[in-house]
Amino acid sequence: PALIEASLDAALGNTVVQGNLQQNKDSVEIVQLLTKLSGKDHCFLTTSGVMANENALKIAFQHRKPACRILAFEHCFAGRTWTFSQVTDKSSGRTGLPLNVLVDYVPFYDPKEPEKSTERALQTIETYLKRYPNEHATMIFELIQGEGGINVGTKTFFKTIMKRLKEAGILIWADEVQSFGRTHELFAFRYFELEEYIDLITIGKLAHVCATLYNKSLSPKPGLLSQTFTSSTSMIHASQAILKHLIEGNYYGPKGKIVTLEQHFMKRMGALKQKYPEAIDDFGGIGTMLVFTPFGGNWTKVTEFTHKLFDEGVISFVTGQVPTKVRFLISLTTTEQDLDNIVDIVETTIKKML
């Protein structure tokens, strides 16, 4: 109902799509809200998550000129524009495209080897810093890798890396296009307690508006950021309604609805794994970004499995490559009963494929 009301209110405005040369106060209000929630000084709205990333990258390069390289995690996903198809660690998204940005990849956190994986990441960064001194503008941190397999880092892992990057003067950028609103806190960087390190933030998806957030020390020179359209009035109003609902509702914190849904999913999947150890290898995720690995992570079989889930009424996504996993991005309107129905359908589908 809140979204319907917001859309009707937006329809009464005289500006359908807002942007650089045509804005209503709605844009100002959402920008003020996002800067307040993020703790950053400035916010630039944009039409998509990947454009928010483009703007963040431009800000970083301009601020760190003449640095021409960036750091990113292995298995990251950052979008499909020409530039970010190069950043995204997936060859199929850049086949046939000439190289236009220099990216150095760092291994992500491995929960099976927490200390060793942190050491590997740090050693890899040290190697790049020695090989290309003063050439890195920023490192993009996808704190929870969505397309990569719902891989979740830790506070210690991120802080160890970020501290070294700060010493080198490299800007730290939290890519929250997918994770925004979906963890135990509104911003994932707050969940990991990384406030003191973050220079740039990008958001999208759940927020309905997409944006680049940054401090005034990174304010771009005139002409660097501009866009014909930044968002529709209806999306801005919807975003305001969503953010209000999230902030005022009992969604975040150790006893919030998101933690409750996560724990319920883990409990049900744990029981399912014990029942069908030959069909479910592992499960995990965080908040409303949930994942499990069926049938050994075989791409063909997992893809078939997601199609069968869809036929039974459950929308899921294939994620990761080796192994391939099944991913759920559950709605915040989901209930424990909904999750029970989903897991029941998962079990029924497993039985059919065994």
Side-chain angles (χ1 to χ4, degrees):
L3 289 180
I4 295 171
E5 183 179 349
S7 298
L8 290 171
D9 190 39
L12 297 175
N14 63 1
T15 304
V16 178
V17 185
Q18 302 192 38
N20 185 42
L21 297 178
Q22 50 185 41
Q23 299 189 57
N24 279 354
K25 65 177 183 177
D26 320 279
S27 288
V28 178
E29 290 171 351
I30 194 70
V31 162
Q32 288 175 332
L33 180 57
L34 289 172
T35 52
K36 179 182 178 182
L37 293 172
S38 66
K40 295 302 175 188
D41 298 319
H42 296 298
C43 169
F44 190 87
L45 297 179
T46 188
T47 50
S48 68
V50 72
M51 285 306 301
N53 282 349
E54 289 272 350
N55 290 330
L57 186 57
K58 289 199 293 182
I59 290 171
F61 275 141
Q62 187 179 78
H63 185 77
R64 288 274 293 158
K65 182 184 178 183
C68 59
R69 310 183 75 88
I70 70 170
L71 292 157
F73 284 120
E74 293 175 354
H75 310 302
C76 73
F77 182 90
R80 289 190 175 89
T81 58
W82 182 6
T83 295
F84 279 94
S85 64
Q86 308 291 337
V87 178
T88 294
D89 190 14
K90 197 170 185 179
S91 60
S92 60
R94 57 176 175 266
T95 302
L97 301 180
L99 183 69
N100 72 338
V101 66
L102 302 172
V103 186
D104 296 314
Y105 292 100
V106 176
F108 196 71
Y109 177 76
D110 184 351
K112 296 178 182 177
E113 297 182 319
E115 292 183 4
K116 286 185 178 180
S117 64
T118 302
E119 290 173 7
R120 278 196 297 268
L122 203 56
Q123 288 171 359
T124 302
I125 289 172
E126 290 293 351
T127 299
Y128 286 134
L129 295 183
K130 290 177 182 177
R131 185 177 295 162
Y132 306 110
N134 301 313
E135 290 189 27
H136 293 93
T138 184
M139 179 166 180
I140 179 171
F141 281 78
E142 192 184 14
L143 301 170
I144 296 126
Q145 294 186 322
E147 297 287 335
I150 311 292
N151 305 316
V152 185
T154 67
K155 177 172 67 175
T156 300
F157 175 75
F158 292 131
K159 282 192 172 183
T160 301
I161 295 173
M162 290 180 179
K163 184 178 179 180
R164 180 64 187 99
L165 294 173
K166 282 291 185 182
E167 291 171 355
I170 296 169
L171 298 175
I172 296 172
W173 160 15
D175 174 2
E176 299 219 20
V177 171
Q178 185 164 131
S179 62
F180 176 76
R182 288 180 166 140
T183 67
H184 303 177
E185 298 292 340
L186 187 65
F187 285 92
F189 77 84
R190 292 200 191 282
Y191 169 73
F192 292 109
E193 300 179 3
L194 304 172
E195 292 91 336
E196 64 180 299
Y197 299 99
I198 304 297
D199 298 300
L200 294 149
I201 308 163
T202 47
I203 66 167
K205 297 189 186 297
L206 185 142
H208 274 50
V209 297
C210 302
T212 308
L213 298 143
Y214 53 95
N215 285 329
K216 58 185 178 183
S217 60
L218 298 180
S219 292
K221 295 177 181 178
L224 187 74
L225 301 186
S226 184
Q227 200 162 318
T228 304
F229 297 127
T230 53
S231 191
S232 69
T233 301
S234 61
M235 289 177 71
I236 290 171
H237 278 241
S239 182
Q240 290 172 325
I242 289 168
L243 292 172
K244 183 175 184 292
H245 181 74
L246 293 178
I247 295 163
E248 295 178 357
N250 182 32
Y251 285 94
Y252 302 108
K255 296 182 179 180
K257 180 181 177 181
I258 288 178
V259 170
T260 301
L261 289 174
E262 175 193 318
Q263 292 174 342
H264 190 73
F265 176 82
M266 299 303 176
K267 181 180 178 181
R268 287 297 314 271
M269 288 304 297
L272 209 59
K273 184 181 185 325
Q274 286 188 332
K275 197 172 181 180
Y276 303 98
E278 73 279 25
I280 297 178
D281 294 0
D282 57 29
F283 58 92
I286 183 172
T288 60
M289 303 171 70
L290 304 170
V291 67
F292 68 98
T293 309
F295 304 113
N298 176 275
W299 185 88
T300 301
K301 200 154 188 179
V302 173
T303 301
E304 179 188 356
F305 182 73
T306 61
H307 291 171
K308 289 183 181 298
L309 283 181
F310 184 81
D311 290 339
E312 296 296 329
V314 174
I315 298 173
S316 63
F317 306 88
V318 171
T319 185
Q321 296 177 9
V322 182
T324 302
K325 307 174 185 179
V326 176
R327 170 175 55 144
F328 296 121
L329 293 175
I330 63 172
S331 165
L332 294 179
T333 59
T334 301
T335 64
E336 290 184 21
Q337 181 60 56
D338 293 328
L339 283 179
D340 286 336
N341 293 339
I342 290 169
V343 175
D344 288 344
I345 291 173
V346 167
E347 180 176 9
T348 301
T349 308
I350 286 173
K351 287 179 181 177
K352 291 179 179 179
M353 291 187 63
L354 284 176

